[in-house]
Amino acid sequence: MACLSPSQLQKFQEDGFLVLEGFLSADECAAMQQRIGELVADMDVPVHYRIEFSTQEDEQLRTKGQGNKDYFLSSGDKIRFFFEKGVFDKKGNFLVPPEKSVNKIGHALHAYDPVFRSVTYSPKVQALAKSLGFQMPVVVQSMYIFKQPHFGGEVTPHQDSTFLHTEPLGRLLGIWIAVEDATLENGCLWFIPGSHTGDLVLIHGEVVHKSEQNLSDHSRHAYTFHLMESLGTVWSPENWLQPTAELPFPPLYT
């Protein structure tokens, strides 16, 4: 089980992040990569929905065309593909191999894909949340991030609670799992000098973090999801991501 020690809890509370080495096995990481390969091989995104993803919320919401904007805004209860900048021509055709074009897949892998559901709701993750004091945590979103070689985009400094706002603050937790080695060269998180396959990073909703552009020859795959303490918490109606009738935020504890 993955319970935190008192010293780990203190470090997380002080720093706003905590690295847990070897949280997942190499086999568990390989299973996620294999499943993602299958999803990408089968992806069929109509040309008018081939949108380039931006970590700048205002830029994302200014995406050309209402259909494109809706494709992003209505992705909270679906598995959808978002692409790197500069991978399409003016007609929406791929300029690079499709498997090298994807920025991320989101935002409901945890709900609809069995491989990612098993990771998200694993006894290890549940034990981790309990040791952090979560009483009624729900999973609000999940993403698989590719950080493609040579042009995997920079993620500018940000706080997750800006996009996923709660009242009161302090109710949001990001869980970031390195599926491949994350290094300075391929765009690791800025507060980690080098994190290896299977390591898990806890990210407080208000800690500022970023990653640089990937200029290396190697991708930097990661699976990340967010938990919210639902007890006594109001999810902001201004958040772009909202629970739906089809997918209310599912409870973590099973």
Side-chain angles (χ1 to χ4, degrees), residues 26-42 105 109 113 115-116 119 144 146 179-180 221:
D27 286 345
E28 288 172 309
C29 290
M32 285 194 285
Q33 273 195 294
Q34 180 179 339
R35 179 60 185 142
I36 284 297
E38 293 168 355
L39 289 174
V40 171
D42 292 339
I105 300 175
L109 286 163
D113 187 88
V115 172
F116 290 93
V119 171
Y144 192 91
F146 290 77
V179 179
E180 295 180 314
H221 288 198

Side-chain angles (χ1 to χ4, degrees), residues 68-195:
N68 284 348
K69 188 186 295 184
D70 290 344
Y71 182 79
F72 172 75
L73 292 176
S74 62
S75 63
D77 60 356
K78 299 174 182 68
I79 296 175
R80 286 185 170 167
F81 300 84
F82 302 91
F83 299 92
E84 293 288 356
K85 291 183 178 180
V87 299
F88 300 121
D89 64 17
K90 291 181 180 179
K91 295 182 178 179
N93 300 310
F94 287 101
L95 295 171
V96 299
E99 68 274 10
K100 298 294 185 184
S101 68
V102 185
N103 172 287
K104 72 172 188 176
I105 300 175
H107 290 94
L109 286 163
H110 64 282
Y112 296 129
D113 187 88
V115 172
F116 290 93
R117 189 166 57 233
S118 68
V119 171
T120 308
Y121 297 94
S122 66
K124 287 186 289 190
V125 170
Q126 293 191 43
L128 183 61
K130 287 176 181 174
S131 70
L132 283 162
F134 279 87
Q135 298 181 62
M136 295 175 62
V138 294
V139 186
V140 299
Q141 70 161 358
S142 57
M143 300 178 285
Y144 192 91
I145 302 167
F146 290 77
K147 205 73 166 183
Q148 300 284 3
H150 302 299
F151 55 82
E154 171 194 17
V155 179
T156 55
H158 66 284
Q159 297 169 297
D160 292 342
S161 60
T162 302
F163 306 103
L164 307 173
H165 188 71
T166 63
E167 293 287 348
L169 288 170
R171 301 302 182 95
L172 186 74
L173 175 71
I175 294 179
W176 188 97
I177 299 169
V179 179
E180 295 180 314
D181 286 355
T183 66
L184 289 170
E185 289 72 30
N186 70 6
C188 66
L189 296 181
W190 74 271
F191 45 59
I192 311 167
S195 175

Side-chain angles (χ1 to χ4, degrees), residues 4-20 128-134 170 172-173 202-208:
L4 298 182
S5 67
S7 62
Q8 286 176 313
L9 274 171
Q10 182 179 354
K11 184 166 178 59
F12 176 65
Q13 289 161 358
E14 290 174 353
D15 296 344
F17 69 94
L18 182 69
V19 180
L20 301 178
L128 183 61
K130 287 176 181 174
S131 70
L132 283 162
F134 279 87
L172 186 74
L173 175 71
L202 297 175
I203 305 174
H204 190 281
E206 285 129 71
V207 71
V208 176

